[in-house]
Amino acid sequence: MVTIFNRKAAAPDTPEPIEKQVLSRRDLLKGGTISLGAILVISGSSIIHPEFAWGLETSNLKPETMATLIQLARDIYPHDHIPDRFYAIAVKPYDAKAGEDPKTKKMIEEGIADLDKRAGKGGYIGLGWEDDRLAILRKVEDTPFFQTVRGGLVTGLYNQEEIWPLFGYEGESYSKGGYIARGFSNIEWL
């Protein structure tokens, strides 16, 4: 089975709701069933983003869990200009930790199951409105699961050198002679 999460058309200036479709192998092979608006395809132990050509293999957590973690990461640290692949890189260490520590795996799987249960039909990732997901996150923000994920995302997301330019950060300055010698004191409006 392949699970596809499609963006539905939404009113202007609103987040796009997500619709979940499950395809059989036969439907997938027939072709034409997958729309160009697909954002994530979950198949076997992989998560694939067909539009932007990236994928993520999982070895310890379920692919559905990783897909939900990617959405959770985007909801905790929302940056519209940051592609999903950077969020996938940020949550990938949780898959490795789950293989090393059964307690971590249990906490993550149960945390995601709790989010899905609170979200109702379609689960957490099936909620199309960001406000609905944030309401759920506010209810679980004091749990060890949420705090663990949030804490790991700080370094997992923001330590990726590829996204630094998207925030206007040039990186550390020591190796380049510091900030003062690099235009820090060039204030022309003073």
Side-chain angles (χ1 to χ4, degrees):
M1 284 296 197
V2 174
T3 306
I4 299 175
F5 296 95
N6 287 327
R7 293 188 189 270
K8 290 195 243 176
D13 300 329
T14 60
E16 296 179 16
I18 297 175
E19 174 185 290
K20 182 177 177 179
Q21 289 180 316
V22 178
L23 299 175
S24 69
R25 182 174 177 267
R26 182 176 303 256
D27 290 334
L28 188 62
L29 292 175
K30 280 184 195 174
T33 310
I34 299 176
S35 71
L36 293 177
I39 58 169
L40 292 177
V41 176
I42 299 173
S43 176
S45 65
S46 301
I47 301 170
I48 303 165
H49 194 302
E51 185 178 351
F52 295 108
W54 64 264
L56 174 70
E57 279 194 57
T58 62
S59 38
N60 301 301
L61 295 172
K62 294 183 267 183
E64 295 84 5
T65 298
M66 291 300 288
T68 304
L69 276 173
I70 293 168
Q71 181 62 56
L72 177 63
R74 184 169 281 290
D75 290 340
I76 293 173
Y77 295 108
H79 300 288
D80 292 338
H81 62 286
I82 303 294
D84 283 344
R85 72 183 176 100
F86 294 109
Y87 287 97
I89 292 167
V91 299
K92 179 66 176 162
Y94 293 112
D95 186 49
K97 286 180 191 175
E100 297 167 3
D101 182 18
K103 290 179 185 177
T104 301
K105 180 176 182 173
K106 181 179 179 189
M107 178 189 59
I108 291 172
E109 293 285 358
E110 287 178 355
I112 296 296
D114 181 47
L115 290 177
D116 288 341
K117 180 181 172 188
R118 289 173 187 263
K121 184 180 179 193
Y124 181 82
I125 201 168
L127 289 175
W129 301 104
E130 184 177 4
D131 289 341
D132 295 339
R133 293 189 307 269
L134 291 180
I136 291 171
L137 293 183
R138 284 188 186 97
K139 293 176 184 174
V140 299
E141 66 186 342
D142 294 327
T143 64
F145 161 71
F146 182 86
Q147 291 300 320
T148 300
V149 172
R150 184 195 57 79
L153 284 173
V154 171
T155 55
L157 183 62
Y158 298 113
N159 276 1
Q160 297 179 52
E161 289 186 36
E162 281 187 73
I163 66 169
W164 290 352
L166 299 175
F167 292 113
Y169 178 60
E170 297 175 359
E172 58 83 25
S173 67
Y174 178 77
S175 66
K176 299 171 184 124
Y179 289 115
I180 294 176
R182 294 180 55 229
F184 180 73
S185 59
N186 295 346
I187 301 175
E188 306 200 355
W189 54 271
L190 240 177

